[in-house]
Amino acid sequence: MLQRLPIESATRPHRSTRVARRLLSWVLLLALAPASHAAAQADPFAGIEEMVVVGTSAAGLMQSEEVSVVGFDADYLDALGANDLSDIAQFTPNLEIRTPFAASNPTLFIRGVGLRDFNANSSSSVAVYNDDIYMNSPAGQLAQLFDVENVDVLRGPQGGIYGRNASAGAIRVISRKPTGINGGYVNFTYGRFEQVEVQAAAETPLVDDLLSLRIAGKMSRRGGTTHNRCGDVKYAANPGLPPLQSFAQRVHNFCFNSTVLATPIRPGFTVGQTPPVKEWVNDVNNWAMRALLRFQPDVLDGMDWLLNVHGGQNRGDARQFQMLGAEQGRIAIQPTITRGIATRDRDNYIDPDNQFRTPGNTGLQLDGLPQSPFRGDPFAGDYNNVEKEILDLFGANIVGDITVGDWQLKTITGYEWNRRDVELNLDGSPYRSLEPTLKNTSYQLTQELRAAWDRGTGLNAQIAAMFLYEGLNVDNTFSLTPFDARIQRYTLWTRYAAVYGELEWEPGEAFSVNGGVRLNYENKEINLFSQAVNPLFQTVIFTQAEKSEAEELGLAGDVTLSYLPTNDVTFYVKYAHGWKGPHINGGISNPTTSSETPLTEPVKPEQVDSFEAGLKSLWWDSRLKVNGAIFYYDYNDIQVFRLRNSSAGVPVNELINAKDADILGVELDFDVRPFDGIGPEILSGFSVYASFAWLKSQYTDFVNVISTTQDVVVGGQLQKAVTQSTFDFSGAQLINSPEFSFVGFAQWMVPTPYGSVTPRFDWSFKDDVYFSPENSPLVGQSALWLMNFRVTYRSPGENLELSGWVENMTDQAYTVDVFNLARFRRSILYAIGDPRTYGVTLRVRF
């Protein structure tokens, strides 16, 4: 697997003046904040991760219920330093969220089920809901994780209320709602890499017992974590040394192109002058806000209306990657690094800190073949193109709850809009080569209606309907060489409708039966325009236009039987059928290929049949909680991407259906508070939580056929010869599905006359992860431990809280995601996770 070697962090320049200005501005902000709040008494064990139940409209901590959910409350999210959903994935068994870009387009997997698609029209197998609104566009799925009440991760296919494209499961982010009580808080964080973060919320009743308002916001700033040597003035002047003997000379030659011939670098680089790009990259710069207006008139048997208006922006750097040279033949199953040419990409670039001599080499030749991005410095590189990822988000929704006798009616109306504009340095080098510009705008309209009936007689039911419409406009440009650029423009419309019904019957106190079914209808239509041009001579190579449409009906549903022999023990068995709608490849730059199937051909819906048995139990006067589940998935028509060669000889991504995969898993959670109510008072606040997961996943029927086009001479004439190579991935591990996971924390709240002090230690272990069905160690992340530590002081009145924290304590270097471009560019790009960070957080409640 990938080898991670110790590295030394580069020395950062001194920026004390800027830091002082920032600190002063935030001190003034704190001083001007309103100050009236009656602090609520805090639960010393708040934040314990446990199984919760998600009902028709809300989540509750009900251990006796049979629905399995991993829950994170606000304290747990604070302890993890979670800024978006991807931060909770490392600390959740069987949840994988990969974010190779700055703030958009994640890929999500639960229990090995998901789709690794980074396109603007990505259709995830994990449904993401922000306050009851299904987020169809991947651009906005990571936002709004601030001032939240809790986050629920529903593991397993969802066929009911949260069943839209939820063949893997669902994630619900639930924000704090107005309570009609004056109050608020301000969080201020300062940390390594000049991290400055402010989160604040305030609420007030506008009309007592009728109308209330809550406003919350968050702003995050952090300097770059990666040193861009092309932006460092010390490399601008020519040292005049032999490149094999001088690291500085190699960097100078690559960044300023003064002594070697290569693809022209970005305009503006002049030998000896200050470089025109940033020296520190991969920074963070975003903000988000939310306003909630709650109307609770005393009408009928109860009425509650909530208006939610929210938005935000990201202006942080587009991701800069670590480049590793590799090669992969057109019919090779895996990339390799076996000879000297493989250490350099198509433009003859190699990361200078990956150049070394093999043991025993006494000559000057740098002949080492690095097998991972951690051979050198994973937080340094040479980048000519450092642009922002521009992301704008806006949304509004209104949710109404109406109670009439035995009926509860709910209406959810939502609108979401986003715009993304980013130029990626996808060659990972200082040369002008693969630097695509991705632009897309989307909006969605959703409407849900739910009606629940419960007479309290052991029989209750609900019916629901949902409609979604999304319009997506994409305008991408892929600059492949100075002589070849591909323009891709398309519009895609998604129309989705569903009806759902559920019935729950409790014939006795010890038994219950719950079943539901959801009928899904989905229609997608894409209109694609593609063009290849020669930017140097302003000529058109080819133009193509394609149209494709998919329309499908499908069923999803589940049935659960539960048995409660005692009030503290629940056994359940569950069958669920998950359905995810058809999908169309959104990364097409030339629709026509040498194969008979066009790249715009939609793929069939994927389906999951899940069989699960579980136990939820409390022991030792509720001091010990043990929850567990064992499950088996029959995973069919899996939507995956494969590579095949186009008529132009360029490998392209093709979306296909793999026939079948099997997944077998076990999950166990332990929550123990050994001294609660029986030991010395000083020990009563000690608790330990541990969660373990084992996941055995494999493709059982996945055959990949790659067509290869070559020029051959037949009878003195040049002709195209098409050959096919067949690769059988049956038996390979599914992507983003580590076999073993082990996460947890230990904390101890120590009371003192002057408040409480709580040290807390979080850990996470996840086994080997692959990002492609080839299961190549070069395209994955080896087994990884991550550890966090936090110490929190709370004042006696709970209105003041001060924390010191360290994240990634061991400074572990690891990959967030990997792009394998070995066939196309003789390179592999690695998105590197954050190094060790540390800082302090002050919270003031009013």
Side-chain angles (χ1 to χ4, degrees), residues 592-603:
T592 302
T593 69
S594 59
S595 180
E596 67 280 359
T597 305
L599 287 170
T600 53
E601 183 75 13
V603 294

Side-chain angles (χ1 to χ4, degrees), residues 142-163:
L142 294 180
Q144 299 298 309
L145 194 64
F146 63 94
D147 194 43
V148 298
E149 182 177 308
N150 58 282
V151 176
D152 298 330
V153 181
L154 289 74
R155 295 183 291 198
Q158 303 299 310
I161 289 297
Y162 307 106

Side-chain angles (χ1 to χ4, degrees), residues 348-390:
N348 204 34
Y349 170 77
I350 181 173
D351 191 338
D353 57 45
N354 270 337
Q355 291 184 293
F356 63 99
R357 296 182 181 87
T358 57
N361 179 8
T362 58
L364 297 178
Q365 183 67 33
L366 302 174
D367 61 343
L369 298 178
Q371 300 293 318
S372 90
F374 308 112
R375 172 59 182 83
D377 186 348
F379 298 104
D382 308 311
Y383 311 114
N384 66 307
N385 184 4
V386 182
E387 299 292 340
K388 300 295 182 183
E389 183 185 52
I390 298 174

